[in-house]
Amino acid sequence: MASVNKADLERLYLVDGKSIPDLANALDINYSAARKALISAGIALRSRADGVRLAAHKLGKHLAGTKRVFTEEWKANIRAAKTRHGEANAKGISHKADGYVEITRGPNKGRGLHVVLMEQHLGRRISENEVVHHRDENKHNNDLTNLEVMTRAEHARLHRLLELEKKNGKR
């Protein structure tokens, strides 16, 4: 440490813009000794943001990052690998925060399991004016005996009546 003088530190760190690791390598000392020498010499350390800006400036904007170019074959290999991973690991359903079970794979991806099951049972799609209601109010119970198709108005009316019953202590 005795061989490190303030003039060398100022030149390397402030003028040449070397980082602490670069400074340590130039002076043949370890990183913590270089940092301690700067502090002892009264030289203010750069913030992390200043260090990143300085490094980017030294590299030049055109060298700050390298753009990767993927061939079509490479992209196809990545897609195939992700598909294999999904087939091996995906469960196919997800329990959402709102309590419903959602399908996560295949042609019904993103749709509620209760809706898909009812559509299969009916042999048609549920219209925009229809909803599938869980009779026991358990959104995980997707047994067909627990599901019924209602219009949106009927469904809203039913839930309002259920809320009033709960409020009045009848339920």
Side-chain angles (χ1 to χ4, degrees), residues 7-170:
D8 287 341
L9 289 172
E10 286 178 340
R11 180 181 50 81
L12 291 169
Y13 191 72
L14 299 175
V15 178
D16 295 348
K18 292 203 178 288
S19 65
I20 290 177
D22 292 339
L23 182 69
N25 288 335
L27 299 173
D28 197 29
I29 57 177
N30 63 39
Y31 295 178
S32 59
R35 187 175 186 281
K36 187 175 181 182
L38 289 169
I39 294 169
S40 297
I43 299 171
L45 298 179
R46 288 189 279 268
S47 70
R48 182 169 181 79
D50 288 340
V52 170
R53 277 192 288 276
L54 181 62
H57 177 72
K58 282 170 44 179
L59 284 174
K61 297 290 182 198
H62 66 289
L63 297 175
T66 304
K67 185 173 181 180
R68 296 174 69 182
V69 179
F70 293 97
T71 65
E72 290 305 315
E73 180 184 10
W74 194 344
K75 291 177 190 177
N77 287 339
I78 292 170
R79 266 192 306 275
K82 285 195 168 282
T83 301
R84 283 192 307 274
H85 177 22
E87 288 169 354
N89 298 300
K91 295 176 185 174
I93 60 166
S94 171
H95 296 276
K96 305 317 278 178
D98 62 5
Y100 289 100
V101 179
E102 183 180 289
I103 298 173
T104 59
R105 303 209 59 209
N108 291 308
K109 180 178 178 177
R111 300 185 68 215
L113 179 61
H114 62 294
V115 174
V116 173
L117 290 173
M118 183 54 78
E119 287 177 347
Q120 289 172 349
H121 175 70
L122 295 173
R124 66 173 178 86
R125 295 287 294 232
I126 300 295
S127 74
E128 276 190 35
N129 190 37
E130 294 177 320
V131 294
V132 179
H133 171 71
H134 289 87
R135 289 181 176 143
D136 67 358
E137 297 181 44
N138 177 1
K139 297 172 185 177
H140 285 219
N141 181 0
N142 291 311
D143 189 72
L144 282 174
T145 59
N146 186 48
L147 302 176
E148 80 179 286
V149 177
M150 306 174 93
T151 65
R152 290 191 181 276
E154 290 170 337
H155 193 244
R157 190 177 310 112
L158 173 67
H159 277 280
R160 181 64 180 138
L161 289 172
L162 292 174
E163 284 175 22
L164 288 173
E165 286 177 7
K166 283 180 187 176
K167 184 178 176 181
N168 293 330
K170 294 182 180 177

